[in-house]
Amino acid sequence: MRLWAQHTAGSAPACTVQYGDRLDHLAGTLKSDLQAISSQTIDDLFGLHPEYSRIPPAFPTEFAPCTTKIFTLSIAQINAYKERLQGELSDKLSTNTVVCALVWSAITRARAQRCPGLAQESSRLAMAVNGRRRLGAEFSSPESPYLGNSILYSLAQSPVSDLNSLLESPASFAKTCDVVSQSQSPARIDSRHIAGVYDLVGRMEDYRTMFVGWDLFGSRDLTITSWADLDLYGVTFGEGLGRPEFIRIPGSPADGVGIILPRKKGADATSEVVEIMIMLRTDDMAILEQDAVWKDLNA
């Protein structure tokens, strides 16, 4: 995005773009890890990567009506939750972890209210992870960025009964935050993990028969992508265009998708917010909007 803005503004790019074979660059970075996992079978790799599956998603006989809404969450309220959790977790919580845990819990509560039988099941939270940061500073630097695809998925899983609480107990919410944090920690998604995904795709006879490992259509699982740290409000597109006033993306009829939009930092930290676009079944969205904890979070 910064490169695009620099070209639009007519300024010289502040980086050297790698126009060579991007896969060769990625394979070279992963060379030692690929050698270390070379003895593993494709079944071993699928076992290590439950975020992927050989089984295609089961399509419903009919799709329920879906809707998209943008919610504005108060950073002050999120920080209050972080303070409540002090002493419950050994690791410092990021704002992204708390936001994802709150969204996952709230959507699951709404779904369980419509479908009480869900309380006996588990829910999975898939989150997009930028692999560039996990491969070392030299793999993709501001001066020489890697523009190839390096997006992975983390996969957290929790009993719906744990997610369905109204967060009365800091200990119960801390458990959810810990599940989210651990699923995408650098210790879990590291160069060895990325090498496993790279090798798995390469060993498939047809990469199009490799599917996601969570439920796309069962109103049980959730996918979240965060653009919060992209700093898109900080880029300028030149004279006449300038900097973005606000950033939005088109919605689509989907059930169980969240996109945390780029953060716009204000002069007053107490009024700072996080915007998240949520795509959900229309009936579940109506329940979500009446959820007491969720309403309290909205700025």
Side-chain angles (χ1 to χ4, degrees), residues 263-273:
R263 286 175 65 176
K264 186 177 184 179
K265 298 181 179 180
D268 183 5
T270 60
S271 62
E272 193 174 342
V273 297

Side-chain angles (χ1 to χ4, degrees), residues 33-93:
D33 290 295
L34 289 170
Q35 290 174 342
I37 64 173
S38 60
S39 62
Q40 294 178 336
T41 67
I42 193 169
D43 290 333
D44 293 333
L45 292 173
F46 270 111
L48 292 169
H49 295 275
E51 68 273 22
Y52 300 105
S53 173
R54 289 189 176 101
I55 303 172
F59 284 84
T61 54
E62 62 178 319
F63 289 91
C66 295
T67 188
T68 301
K69 290 185 180 293
I70 293 178
F71 295 93
T72 303
L73 309 184
S74 164
I75 285 289
Q77 289 283 22
I78 293 169
N79 287 338
Y81 274 104
K82 291 166 74 172
E83 290 178 8
R84 288 176 59 191
L85 295 175
Q86 287 184 359
E88 299 290 343
L89 294 170
S90 57
D91 295 332
K92 184 179 179 181
L93 284 177

Side-chain angles (χ1 to χ4, degrees), residues 94-112:
S94 69
T95 297
N96 183 70
T97 293
V98 176
V99 169
C100 289
L102 287 167
V103 171
W104 189 18
S105 297
I107 288 177
T108 302
R109 283 196 303 276
R111 287 169 162 175

Side-chain angles (χ1 to χ4, degrees), residues 73-194:
L73 309 184
S74 164
I75 285 289
Q77 289 283 22
I78 293 169
N79 287 338
Y81 274 104
K82 291 166 74 172
E83 290 178 8
R84 288 176 59 191
L85 295 175
Q86 287 184 359
E88 299 290 343
L89 294 170
S90 57
D91 295 332
K92 184 179 179 181
L93 284 177
S94 69
T95 297
N96 183 70
T97 293
V98 176
V99 169
C100 289
L102 287 167
V103 171
W104 189 18
S105 297
I107 288 177
T108 302
R109 283 196 303 276
R111 287 169 162 175
Q113 187 172 331
R114 174 183 57 83
C115 181
L118 192 65
Q120 308 305 316
E121 300 184 32
S122 63
S123 174
R124 288 166 292 191
L125 171 64
M127 294 171 286
V129 178
N130 183 356
R132 294 174 183 84
R133 299 179 180 179
R134 309 298 172 96
L135 293 175
E138 294 183 358
F139 175 71
S140 180
S141 64
E143 297 76 24
S144 182
Y146 177 79
L147 300 182
N149 181 19
S150 59
I151 302 301
L152 312 212
Y153 291 101
S154 64
L155 194 62
Q157 183 165 337
S158 176
V160 168
S161 56
D162 288 349
L163 297 168
N164 199 20
S165 70
L166 285 174
L167 313 184
E168 298 94 343
S169 167
S172 64
F173 184 56
K175 184 177 179 181
T176 299
C177 289
D178 189 53
V179 169
V180 173
S181 179
Q182 291 301 316
S183 71
Q184 56 179 193
S185 70
R188 176 166 295 185
I189 301 183
D190 56 8
S191 61
R192 183 66 54 86
H193 178 101
I194 296 172

Side-chain angles (χ1 to χ4, degrees), residues 222-244:
L222 176 67
T223 307
I224 295 179
T225 297
S226 177
W227 292 5
D229 294 332
L230 292 183
D231 192 28
L232 297 188
Y233 287 104
V235 300
T236 178
F237 290 85
E239 187 177 353
L241 293 175
R243 299 179 188 276

